[in-house]
Amino acid sequence: MRHILEIDDLSSEELARVLDLAAAPDPAKVLTGKGMALIFEKPSARTRNSMEMAVVQLGGHPVYIAANEIGLDTRESVEDVTNTMAGFHAAIGARVFEHSTVERMAAVDRVPVVNLLSDQSHPMQALADLLTVRREFSELAGRTVAYIGDANNVARSLALGAGLAGMNFRISTPPEYAFAEADLDRIRATGLEPEILDRPEDAVAGADAIYTDTWTSMGQEEEAAQRRRDFEGFTVDERMMGFAQVGAIFLHCLPAHRGEEASDDVLDGPRSRIWIQAANRMHAARGLLSWLLNEAQE
Ligand code: CP
Ligand code: NVA
C-alpha cells in the first residue's frame, strides 16, 4: 500500500505523472461511491477545500473531521481511529501537529494515508507549487526556486519536490532557522545540492521563482515575537524583488502575514502568482488522488 507522507514518497517519474494527471481534463471518476476521511488537528482554508473539491471531482464524498471532535489519541488512539475510518473510506488525509501521527496512520496500512501538513512536511503544497512553476515556465528541470525565510515544513517539501523535478533550489534563512543536516541529507538524496545563502538578496538574484512562508508556523505562536525580531531583513518586499531577474514570479503557500514575510505590494503585485498557486492546490490534489487511488494500487 502506498502512502504520501512526504513528496519524496513519489519517485521522479511518479511525480511527473501526478503533475500530468493534475493538468489533465476530464479525470476518471476513480472515487465513485467512495469516501475520503479528512482529519484536521489544525485550521485550514486551502487544504480542506482543495481536498474536498478534488474528491468530489473524482466522484467521491469527502468527510471533514475535526480531530478534537473525535478525540484523536484522547478518546481513541490514532490506530483505532484509522482502523475505524478504513471501514468507511478509500483513503485518509490528515493534518497533524506531530509527523509521527501520520506515520502511525500509515503503519496501520489499511487504506492510503495522505499527509495534509505536519510539523515536518507539506507534500500537497509542494505538488501545487511545482504545478504552478510548470504552468508558468512550461517545464521544471533547470529552473531555480529561491526560498526566503524559515526552513519549515513547506520549505522542506518544496526542496524535496524541486530535487525530484530536476530543479535548482536556493534557501536563505537566519542561521538559527536553517535546515538540519538530516534535512539536507534527504534533499541531497534526490540528486539536488541546495544552495545555502546568508543574504536573501543573493538567493533572489537569478531565481525564476521567489518563495516565502510565515515565520511562525501553526503551533509556534508563543515564539512569534522572538521570530519577528530574528527574521528582520527577510521580508520579501519590492526592494528584495528588485534583485530578481525579469520574468521571476513570487509564490507563497498562504496564509500570508502581510508586512512580515512579504509586503502587500509583492503579494498583490504583477509578479505574484499566489491565487493561481492556491487554486492549483485543488488540481494537484485531484492529480495525486487519481494516481494514488488508481494507478498506484494496480
Ligand atoms: N497553504 C495551506 O496549506 O493553506 P491552509 O493552511 O489554509 O490549508
Ligand atoms: N508553515 C506553515 C504553513 C501553513 C500552510 C504552518 O505550518 O503553519
Side-chain angles (χ1 to χ4, degrees), residues 68-148:
N68 61 354
E69 276 173 25
I70 55 167
L72 190 67
D73 240 3
T74 52
R75 184 170 184 258
E76 234 172 339
S77 72
V78 166
E79 288 76 11
D80 287 0
V81 167
T82 304
N83 268 308
T84 302
M85 293 303 156
F88 309 134
H89 296 287
I92 297 172
R95 166 166 287 196
V96 298
F97 282 99
E98 292 172 16
H99 190 74
S100 59
T101 303
V102 284
E103 290 177 331
R104 287 168 61 195
M105 289 177 174
V108 172
D109 212 31
R110 290 268 309 274
V111 292
V113 173
V114 179
N115 178 6
L116 304 182
L117 181 149
S118 66
D119 54 355
Q120 190 175 303
S121 45
H122 198 358
M124 298 308 293
Q125 182 64 51
L127 287 175
D129 301 339
L130 295 176
L131 194 60
T132 308
V133 175
R134 196 178 79 159
R135 284 192 179 174
E136 185 74 27
F137 298 109
S138 305
E139 32 66 54
L140 291 170
R143 294 290 176 177
T144 299
V145 60
Y147 182 95
I148 310 300

Side-chain angles (χ1 to χ4, degrees), residues 42 95 117 122 152-154 213-214 216-218 253-255:
K42 301 174 182 175
R95 166 166 287 196
L117 181 149
H122 198 358
N152 61 13
N153 45 8
V154 167
D213 179 22
T214 183
T216 303
S217 286
M218 291 180 277
C253 60
L254 305 176

Side-chain angles (χ1 to χ4, degrees), residues 223-270:
E223 301 170 22
Q226 181 65 46
R227 283 172 172 264
R228 270 194 290 275
R229 287 192 289 276
D230 294 342
F231 281 90
E232 208 172 302
F234 283 80
T235 301
V236 180
D237 53 15
E238 277 300 323
R239 187 197 69 83
M240 186 84 76
M241 287 302 284
F243 292 89
Q245 63 187 10
V246 175
I249 60 169
F250 171 77
L251 299 173
H252 190 311
C253 60
L254 305 176
H257 302 76
R258 289 170 175 265
E260 294 189 14
E261 74 275 7
S263 62
D264 280 339
D265 47 9
V266 169
L267 283 157
D268 302 327

Side-chain angles (χ1 to χ4, degrees), residues 160-177:
L160 289 167
L164 292 170
M167 297 176 70
N168 307 310
F169 181 83
R170 296 177 180 171
I171 185 162
S172 183
T173 71
E176 59 272 47
Y177 296 95

